Amino acid sequence: MWNRLNTDFVVIGSGIAGLTLSLLAAEHGRVSLITKGELGDGNSRLAQGGIAAVLGADDEPHLHKTDTLRTGQGLCVDEVVQVIVEQAPAMIQFLQDIGVQFDHNDTGQLQLGREGAHSRNRIVHSGGDQTGKATMDVLLACVHAHKNIQIYERTYACELVVENGECTGLLAVDASNAQMWFCANSVVLATGGLGQLYKYTTNDVNATGDGYALAYRAGAKLRDMEFVQFHPTGLKSETNPVPLVSEAVRGEGARLVNAQQVPFMAKYHPWADLAGRDVVAKAVYQEMSLGRDVYLDARMIEKFEQRFPTIYQFCRARGINPSTDCIPIVPVAHYTMGGILTDVAGQTSILRLFAIGEVASSGLHGANRLASNSLLEGLVMAKKAVERMVQLPRLQGRQTDRAAGQIAPHTWDRSASLSLRQRVQDLMWTHVGITRNQEQLALAEETLSAWLKKAAVQPGPDVNLLTTALLVVRAALWRQESRGAHYRTDFPDVSPAFETHFIQEGTHESVSNTPILAASTS
Ligand SMILES: Cc1cc2nc3c(=O)[nH]c(=O)nc-3n(C[C@H](O)[C@H](O)[C@H](O)COP(=O)(O)OP(=O)(O)OC[C@H]3O[C@@H](n4cnc5c(N)ncnc54)[C@H](O)[C@@H]3O)c2cc1C
Ligand SMILES: O=C([O-])CC(=O)C(=O)O
């Protein structure tokens, strides 16, 4: 039996987006905060480079906006970019007010770093390359201290409850398999990305893309799922996740070199090592396809250990000293630009269902995300969503037992089976990776569909994993061009005919067996 719990806001996910939203919403009512692992798990605490915000004397919001739009290659939503870059300095101030200590220079000003495709220095960071951890530690302390926030750790969000076109709750199971039905005035998906669909990724093990599948099954619209960003500089390693070597290292002067220690990026782009992430990842991939190993030469960076302590430790653990050795690197799956379609306040296509952070497609990133715009998006969209949610008329417990009753209680395995996860990761890496083509994608679609058919007998994480993988593949098949992070070897150029979005809309009826059929463009 689903055990009914009444609350005002249900928040799924405890990364930067979920924690910030919980804190702000808790000023207006009771928050139930649900997270798959321990509080604060996910990608946010791994963030290295920092948070982009216009704070320098030579910078202006319109420059940050221009950089974001250029990098997104025609698919950003202007209004959303405008709002997010304008709100950025206020959100940095918010973090400082609650206790986050950003790094300062000798004159006491915030130290502003540089990353790819930014025309100005505008990345604030903390502890050198520990921005995610430093920010999350403070947010976690605030959330723990707030009496209006009830925390549910090791609890897996299974299914959204939709009644009469409105999202009225969530079904979840905890580690003891207790089945909870959260009835709320609004439900927020802050479930992060899908990097774990890929064999090589920087993403936390929890980033399995559950939120996309939940939203799809509830009947929500998803946009631009083909755009998965590959970071050019994962530290060459067979571990999961692969450690990241931040783009900020190139911002401090490091250069990509071949085995002969010759820099090569200038031949690919005028901005060389600080070109957009898609350009650099593709260049590294091309060099490697010619059988050449690629390295990052960071030997010129003074006091590397102080500026990048995390990366320094990653390297030292593998016998590399960044001050004397070049660092072997590989491109790895890193970020999901596409996601659950939302407006500028995180409202999805289903009333009372919100999506914020990496799981959302707010329109900030388009076909390719500008570095350090993601933590920023999570912060701003958390604020915007709360402002909208508190205006909704209250449901006041109008949820009917029928809604949850439609979904039979299950014994949920809370993690996808290991062998299936590995098979999906291998398939996605080889067929839906940095480059893709019709043949590879068609085979991936066929294979994933067959696996999904088998898995759908027992709803759970396997179904979510496969559903999300299929959403990526279907979108990649549709986009017969190369734009941003999506590179089709059979359609290598940008096509004006595809300067548009790909929308996949779930059907609410598909709640237990997930046929992925409906798709449209807008
Ligand atoms: C190594 C690395 C470095 C990065 N560096 C930067 C950077 O410097 N600057 C920047 O802007 N961006 C950076 N990014 C990207 C950025 O960190 C993420 O996009 C961002 O943190 C996402 O925040 P989020 O709150 O949306 O999701 P996450 O922080 O990933 O949190 C998702 C949460 O949802 C929970 N969850 C998922 N599914 C379920 C479920 N079914 N039930 C319950 N809970 C669930 C997870 O457990 C987790 O708590 C980096 C990413 C990585 C991986
Ligand atoms: O540190 C990095 O390179 C990662 C980063 O900024 C981002 O993903 O925005």
Side-chain angles (χ1 to χ4, degrees):
M1 267 290 286
W2 299 103
N3 179 25
R4 181 171 174 151
L5 300 155
N6 290 322
T7 183
D8 295 310
F9 310 97
V10 179
V11 182
I12 312 156
S14 62
I16 194 164
L19 292 183
T20 306
L21 184 134
S22 297
L23 262 187
L24 300 175
E27 297 304 310
H28 303 273
R30 294 159 302 161
V31 176
S32 296
L33 173 55
I34 288 147
T35 199
K36 206 153 74 163
E38 286 180 10
L39 198 71
D41 62 349
N43 283 342
S44 298
R45 62 179 310 102
L46 302 178
Q48 294 182 352
I51 309 176
V54 170
L55 294 160
D58 64 344
D59 204 359
E60 294 192 35
H62 78 89
L63 296 173
H64 188 182
K65 181 177 175 185
T66 303
D67 292 346
T68 303
L69 292 174
R70 187 193 327 104
T71 307
Q73 296 176 33
L75 293 185
C76 299
V77 175
D78 201 277
E79 180 202 1
V80 171
V81 179
Q82 177 84 26
V83 165
I84 291 180
V85 304
E86 272 175 1
Q87 295 280 320
M91 292 317 291
I92 299 299
Q93 188 59 53
F94 161 79
L95 289 178
Q96 289 180 301
D97 290 346
I98 62 170
V100 179
Q101 308 268 337
F102 290 111
D103 297 332
H104 287 71
N105 60 23
D106 295 342
T107 59
Q109 311 278 353
L110 277 173
Q111 203 177 336
L112 299 176
R114 187 73 157 252
E115 290 187 66
H118 284 276
S119 59
R120 295 290 186 277
N121 283 16
R122 61 167 76 100
I123 319 286
V124 293
H125 47 83
S126 182
D129 60 7
Q130 300 171 14
T131 312
K133 182 180 178 305
T135 307
M136 289 290 287
D137 283 349
V138 172
L139 284 168
L140 285 168
C142 296
V143 162
H144 274 299
H146 208 298
K147 64 178 180 11
N148 268 359
I149 305 176
Q150 180 81 40
I151 297 162
Y152 297 84
E153 290 180 301
R154 286 169 283 279
T155 300
Y156 188 92
C158 310
E159 219 73 72
L160 296 163
V161 179
V162 177
E163 289 182 85
N164 305 320
E166 290 186 302
C167 184
T168 61
L170 170 80
L171 303 180
V173 291
D174 72 7
S176 63
N177 220 23
Q179 311 200 342
M180 289 170 277
W181 171 24
F182 293 92
C183 295
N185 220 38
S186 352
V187 177
V188 184
L189 285 165
T191 42
L194 54 68
Q196 284 290 333
L197 292 186
Y198 287 89
K199 183 170 178 184
Y200 298 107
T201 179
T202 58
N203 283 200
D204 179 72
V205 290
N206 287 300
T208 48
D210 304 341
Y212 308 97
L214 260 63
Y216 182 78
R217 274 205 300 281
K221 291 182 180 171
L222 287 94
R223 176 170 63 185
D224 296 341
M225 290 296 286
E226 64 274 35
F227 294 113
V228 176
Q229 181 170 73
F230 290 80
H231 198 295
T233 56
L235 176 56
K236 196 171 180 184
S237 149
E238 287 296 321
T239 55
N240 181 0
V242 171
L244 179 71
V245 181
S246 173
E247 206 161 281
V249 178
R250 275 175 282 137
E252 298 283 335
R255 293 204 291 175
L256 288 157
V257 297
N258 61 22
Q260 287 71 46
Q261 302 190 357
V262 178
F264 59 80
M265 270 312 300
K267 78 178 182 228
Y268 289 97
H269 197 276
W271 291 18
D273 294 273
L274 287 177
R277 206 165 269 180
D278 57 332
V279 174
V280 183
K282 225 179 297 164
V284 171
Y285 178 81
Q286 253 156 28
E287 292 289 312
M288 293 179 80
S289 330
L290 299 169
R292 300 171 187 154
D293 285 338
V294 175
Y295 299 82
L296 190 64
D297 183 356
R299 292 174 296 177
M300 71 296 285
I301 298 176
E302 285 173 21
K303 300 187 181 156
F304 188 99
E305 186 179 353
Q306 279 101 306
R307 176 66 180 86
F308 299 111
T310 313
I311 300 165
Y312 183 79
Q313 288 307 329
F314 285 147
C315 289
R316 294 302 287 161
R318 286 160 180 81
I320 302 157
N321 181 349
S323 302
T324 52
D325 306 322
C326 291
I327 306 168
I329 58 92
V330 282
V332 276
H334 182 65
Y335 184 82
T336 320
M337 268 77 67
I340 305 163
L341 173 64
T342 75
D343 70 6
V344 69
Q347 170 69 62
T348 69
S349 58
I350 299 176
L351 195 60
R352 298 184 186 278
L353 177 63
F354 289 76
I356 57 167
E358 189 166 341
V359 76
S361 168
S362 67
L364 178 65
H365 311 302
N368 184 39
R369 176 175 65 97
L370 185 66
S372 287
N373 263 358
S374 174
L375 296 175
L376 172 62
E377 181 190 24
L379 291 163
V380 176
M381 293 304 285
K383 180 165 180 281
K384 289 279 152 199
V386 172
E387 287 167 6
R388 177 73 66 79
M389 290 189 311
V390 297
Q391 288 170 11
L392 290 173
R394 296 185 61 79
L395 276 169
Q396 289 167 331
R398 280 194 278 115
Q399 291 92 338
T400 60
D401 286 343
R402 202 175 53 83
Q406 282 173 351
I407 300 162
H410 294 290
T411 309
W412 283 76
D413 262 339
R414 291 179 318 119
S415 53
S417 68
L418 194 59
S419 77
L420 178 82
R421 196 197 274 217
Q422 280 168 352
R423 277 186 284 144
V424 171
Q425 288 174 336
D426 285 340
L427 183 77
M428 294 296 283
W429 184 256
T430 52
H431 287 63
V432 200
I434 302 178
T435 69
R436 338 47 217 267
N437 62 38
Q438 175 74 30
E439 203 184 330
Q440 291 173 316
L441 292 169
L443 187 73
E445 186 190 30
E446 195 185 315
T447 310
L448 290 167
S449 300
W451 291 345
L452 178 59
K453 211 169 161 193
K454 265 196 193 162
V457 178
Q458 170 70 48
D462 285 358
V463 172
N464 289 343
L465 196 74
L466 291 163
T467 301
T468 300
L470 264 171
L471 287 165
V472 175
V473 172
R474 294 262 158 90
L477 267 167
W478 175 82
R479 187 168 289 281
Q480 296 186 338
E481 64 157 358
S482 292
R483 182 187 297 269
H486 173 72
Y487 184 53
R488 290 273 304 246
T489 48
D490 44 354
F491 297 98
D493 301 318
V494 178
S495 159
F498 283 92
E499 193 165 321
T500 182
H501 301 285
F502 185 67
I503 311 274
Q504 300 182 77
E505 183 170 4
T507 51
H508 182 42
E509 293 71 40
S510 64
V511 92
S512 61
N513 55 10
T514 323
I516 301 195
L517 296 171
S520 66
T521 57
S522 85

